[in-house]
Amino acid sequence: MKAGALDLGEASKGLAPRGGVNKGVSILDFILRLIALIGTLGSAIAMGTTDETLPFFTQFIRFRAKYDDLPSFTFFVVANSIVSAYLALSLPLSIFHIVRSGARSSRIILIFFDTAMLALLTAGASAAAAIVYLAHKGNARANWISICQQFNSFCERISGSLIGSFGGILVFILIVILSAVAVSRR
Amino acid sequence: MKAGALDLGEASKGLAPRGGVNKGVSILDFILRLIALIGTLGSAIAMGTTDETLPFFTQFIRFRAKYDDLPSFTFFVVANSIVSAYLALSLPLSIFHIVRSGARSSRIILIFFDTAMLALLTAGASAAAAIVYLAHKGNARANWISICQQFNSFCERISGSLIGSFGGILVFILIVILSAVAVSRR
């Protein structure tokens, strides 16, 4: 496609900086993907290993809080794992875009999956955030008590694991926009 | 930009169908925005008017469930309202794209805001969904009881109001991809 445009006689002085900008955009895209990968993978691991057993127990009950007691947290771990696996798989394609900065259809395919993954990651992070808020504050009207008074380190852990995920969302928005810019200046 | 490309001598037979495809994409974009507007506005109204008062009451307490008893539902209403206001504001720009299908920078600006709004809408919808799930099922480990046994019509209403929002998310993903396609074939 790019070669075709060249043949059709676009001024070469106009094309050289464009290719340079696209290479820069592709490198930035690669770095952002790495950052998002670290964030989502960190979130998945931090949440997935959350497990607190209180030091006291009765004859029948041991007080224990694990992330999969709450379905939203399981969804959070699954969503973050899927997104980080996708990001790892998209890295080779990102390198391909650095080498061949004129590629267009592969970029559009990537925008499609990026947008879908952005939605998945946001869904996981915000469902977990809603439950974390409830764990901290409880809700008097619905008679849901705050569980953070008993499970202190559990609550710190689940709150902290949201950070990587929300950072990943911001980075993903940047990635989609960068791809749109790159696709527009072929 | 388009005029410049014309001057640089791209074959006119190649441009005519492209313009046609872009006009079709722009019209589809307009229709999708209308659908998403109806969905998100409907969700905001359905959730925002949810209010159930039970027919029995004691001397001290009247049993009443309103959407703003739960912060996640307030966020849901706010997010849906913002997104539907944005969609209404973006309709004129979408019409502008139908008329001038070669416009490029305005499309990229729109992709930016579309992506951000997609993230906002997903966050609102999935935070509300997490709480709706909790209202239906409760959580034995955290001692959170299901409130749907008492507030039946409240629960039906909050569950139903999620539909428009999740439909809006799917439509938004389509809109972003269509914009990316339109921007790539100027």
Side-chain angles (χ1 to χ4, degrees):
Chain A
M1 265 303 183
K2 195 189 172 191
L6 272 168
D7 292 343
L8 283 164
E10 284 203 45
S12 62
K13 66 173 171 52
L15 262 176
R18 266 193 198 170
V21 169
N22 254 11
K23 198 177 274 289
V25 165
S26 301
I27 293 171
L28 193 57
D29 177 87
F30 181 77
I31 295 169
L32 287 177
R33 271 171 210 282
L34 267 184
I35 296 173
L37 175 60
I38 294 167
T40 50
L41 198 62
S43 277
I45 293 172
M47 181 66 90
T49 54
T50 303
D51 185 357
E52 186 184 10
T53 310
L54 294 189
F56 51 87
F57 49 91
T58 67
Q59 199 175 354
F60 305 106
I61 307 170
R62 256 180 106 208
F63 295 98
R64 189 177 177 195
K66 223 174 150 235
Y67 78 96
D68 61 1
D69 290 339
L70 291 150
S72 294
F73 293 159
T74 313
F75 176 51
F76 178 83
V77 172
V78 171
N80 273 285
S81 308
I82 291 174
V83 170
S84 47
Y86 162 77
L87 281 169
L89 288 175
S90 76
L91 284 180
L93 205 56
S94 187
I95 293 171
F96 170 76
H97 286 153
I98 297 176
V99 179
R100 282 198 51 182
S101 53
R104 212 175 48 146
S105 48
S106 60
R107 274 186 208 274
I108 291 180
I109 295 170
L110 218 52
I111 289 182
F112 173 77
F113 283 109
D114 282 346
T115 315
M117 288 294 151
L118 168 66
L120 178 65
L121 185 62
T122 314
S126 101
I131 302 296
V132 166
Y133 180 83
L134 211 57
H136 275 280
K137 299 268 178 178
N139 188 290
R141 301 297 305 250
N143 253 328
W144 292 336
I145 49 158
S146 155
I147 57 168
C148 280
Q149 281 152 6
Q150 296 123 51
F151 296 101
N152 212 329
S153 104
F154 174 74
C155 267
E156 277 172 18
R157 187 71 166 269
I158 57 176
S159 314
S161 65
L162 294 180
I163 298 170
S165 220
F166 277 101
I169 291 171
L170 293 181
V171 173
F172 247 111
I173 293 179
L174 278 180
I175 289 174
V176 171
I177 294 153
L178 273 185
S179 302
V181 170
V183 106
S184 76
R185 38 167 90 231
R186 45 177 182 120
Chain B
M1 267 299 182
K2 193 190 172 189
L6 273 167
D7 290 345
L8 282 165
E10 283 203 45
S12 63
K13 65 173 171 52
L15 262 176
R18 266 192 198 170
V21 169
N22 254 11
K23 198 177 272 286
V25 165
S26 301
I27 292 171
L28 193 57
D29 177 86
F30 182 77
I31 295 169
L32 287 177
R33 271 173 210 280
L34 267 184
I35 296 172
L37 175 60
I38 294 167
T40 51
L41 198 63
S43 278
I45 293 172
M47 181 67 89
T49 54
T50 303
D51 186 357
E52 186 184 10
T53 309
L54 294 189
F56 52 87
F57 49 91
T58 67
Q59 201 174 354
F60 304 105
I61 308 170
R62 257 181 105 209
F63 295 97
R64 189 178 177 194
K66 224 176 149 231
Y67 79 97
D68 60 2
D69 290 339
L70 291 151
S72 294
F73 292 160
T74 313
F75 176 52
F76 178 83
V77 173
V78 171
N80 273 285
S81 307
I82 291 174
V83 170
S84 47
Y86 162 78
L87 280 169
L89 289 174
S90 76
L91 284 180
L93 204 57
S94 185
I95 294 171
F96 170 76
H97 286 154
I98 296 176
V99 180
R100 283 199 51 183
S101 52
R104 213 175 48 145
S105 48
S106 61
R107 273 185 210 274
I108 291 179
I109 295 170
L110 218 52
I111 289 181
F112 172 76
F113 284 109
D114 283 346
T115 316
M117 289 294 151
L118 168 65
L120 178 66
L121 185 63
T122 314
S126 101
I131 301 297
V132 166
Y133 180 83
L134 211 58
H136 274 281
K137 298 267 178 179
N139 188 291
R141 300 298 304 251
N143 253 329
W144 293 335
I145 50 157
S146 155
I147 58 169
C148 280
Q149 280 152 6
Q150 296 124 51
F151 296 101
N152 212 329
S153 105
F154 174 75
C155 268
E156 277 173 18
R157 188 70 165 271
I158 57 177
S159 314
S161 65
L162 294 180
I163 297 170
S165 220
F166 277 101
I169 291 170
L170 292 181
V171 173
F172 247 111
I173 293 178
L174 278 180
I175 289 174
V176 171
I177 294 153
L178 273 185
S179 302
V181 169
V183 106
S184 74
R185 38 167 88 233
R186 45 179 183 116

